[in-house]
């Protein structure tokens, strides 16, 4: 299992320190949540802060857009050369076009599904995708409880990926911990995002990350 700690739960007064810390603790990707206050009822960070994260990180960035104007934000972050940019299918009229645009910058492209959006909606996009991110909470905030229906959705998506695009990764985001990670792995997940579990673990970030990988 690959682990992508969500910087949303970091101490923003010591952001560079926390980003270095998760990278030194064995994470695989640094998950960056970008919220615009329109698509979700929360506002996070823009290019100034994301570029500070990119500078501190020794692992690749995984940028999760929760915004209304996806194309604008893709153009804003392309220079930072993240490994992945993912955007919400619910907020994009032309997802196929946007996937090609993200790839034209040499960045891997992913689509995000809210808890209510069926996996089958991706049937005709999957061949072009590097990653699908399934939300296991409603997007907008860290520290929410895991919505268990995502496990069945992960199995359905895994079957679709096996048929259409076996190299597409399945990532799960929200309320992930050492309990539900086993169910997610068995259902076919490749990457888990974890914010509060990693940053608030009583034994530290390294133990938390290792427990998700084990
Ligand atoms: C929620 C974000 C998540 C969030 C996860 O909208 O996409 O990445 O930070 O935090 P936890 O792991 O605390 O649910
Ligand atoms: Zn996220």
């Amino acid at each position: 299992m690959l682990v992508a700690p969500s910087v949303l739960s970091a101490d923003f007064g010591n952001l560079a320190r926390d980003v270095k810390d998760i990278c030194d603790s064995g994470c695989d990707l640094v998950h960056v949540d970008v919220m615009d206050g329109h698509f979700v009822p929360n506002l996070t960070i823009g290019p100034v802060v994301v570029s500070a994260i990119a500078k501190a990180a020794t692992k690749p960035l995984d940028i999760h857009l929760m915004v209304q104007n996806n194309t604008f934000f893709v153009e804003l972050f392309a220079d930072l050369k993240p490994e992945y940019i993912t955007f919400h299918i619910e907020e994009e009229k032309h997802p196929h076009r946007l996937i090609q645009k993200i790839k034209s910058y040499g960045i891997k492209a992913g689509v995000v599904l809210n808890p209510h959006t069926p996996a089958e909606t991706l049937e005709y996009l999957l061949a072009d995708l590097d990653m699908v991110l399934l939300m296991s909470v409603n997007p907008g905030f860290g520290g929410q409880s895991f919505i268990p229906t995502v496990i069945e959705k992960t199995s359905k998506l895994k079957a679709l990926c096996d048929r259409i695009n076996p190299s597409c990764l399945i990532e799960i985001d929200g309320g992930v911990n050492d309990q539900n990670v086993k169910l997610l792995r068995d259902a076919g997940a490749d990457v888990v995002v974890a914010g509060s579990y990693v940053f608030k673990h009583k034994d530290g970030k390294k133990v938390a990350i290792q427990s998700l990988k084990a």
Side-chain angles (χ1 to χ4, degrees), residues 25 44 62 98 106 122 157 193 204:
S25 300
T44 58
D62 169 30
L98 186 57
L122 297 179
L157 178 60
V193 176

Side-chain angles (χ1 to χ4, degrees), residues 2 9-10 19 77 81 84 96 112 114-115 128 136 138 147 151 165 169 182:
L2 302 177
S9 294
V19 170
F77 292 120
K81 294 284 171 225
Y84 293 95
H96 187 273
V112 192
N114 269 337
D128 292 292
S136 40
N138 287 296
I147 299 172
I151 292 166
N165 180 0
L169 297 184
K182 297 179 193 71

Side-chain angles (χ1 to χ4, degrees), residues 34-181:
V34 175
M35 308 184 190
D36 68 349
H38 295 282
F39 177 62
V40 287
N42 195 6
L43 192 60
T44 58
I45 53 179
V48 173
V49 180
V50 180
S51 83
I53 293 171
K55 213 183 262 174
T58 54
K59 300 289 172 67
L61 300 196
D62 169 30
I63 298 183
H64 173 191
L65 299 179
M66 286 161 274
V67 301
Q68 271 185 349
N69 190 345
N70 285 304
T71 303
F72 170 79
F73 283 88
V74 166
E75 287 166 357
L76 215 49
F77 292 120
D79 281 351
L80 298 176
K81 294 284 171 225
E83 180 95 352
Y84 293 95
I85 295 182
T86 63
F87 64 88
H88 275 261
I89 193 89
E90 299 87 4
E91 195 55 56
E92 185 52 51
K93 287 197 188 81
H94 301 289
H96 187 273
R97 178 183 291 152
L98 186 57
I99 291 163
Q100 310 313 322
K101 185 177 181 78
I102 293 170
K103 288 180 162 180
S104 75
Y105 294 115
I107 299 165
K108 293 177 182 157
V111 155
V112 192
L113 305 189
N114 269 337
H116 74 281
T117 306
E120 291 77 7
T121 195
L122 297 179
E123 179 159 16
Y124 299 105
L125 280 181
L126 211 47
D128 292 292
L129 287 170
D130 296 298
M131 177 141 83
V132 176
L133 170 49
L134 300 182
M135 291 308 298
S136 40
V137 297
N138 287 296
F141 303 94
Q144 304 180 81
S145 318
F146 183 80
I147 299 172
T149 49
V150 78
I151 292 166
E152 187 191 308
K153 188 152 74 164
T154 303
S155 304
K156 284 192 180 171
L157 178 60
K158 174 70 177 157
L160 268 182
C161 288
D162 284 348
R163 178 161 66 83
I164 299 169
N165 180 0
S167 61
C168 179
L169 297 184
I170 300 177
E171 182 179 43
I172 312 294
D173 184 5
V176 171
N177 56 39
D178 58 342
Q179 301 302 306
N180 50 39
V181 74

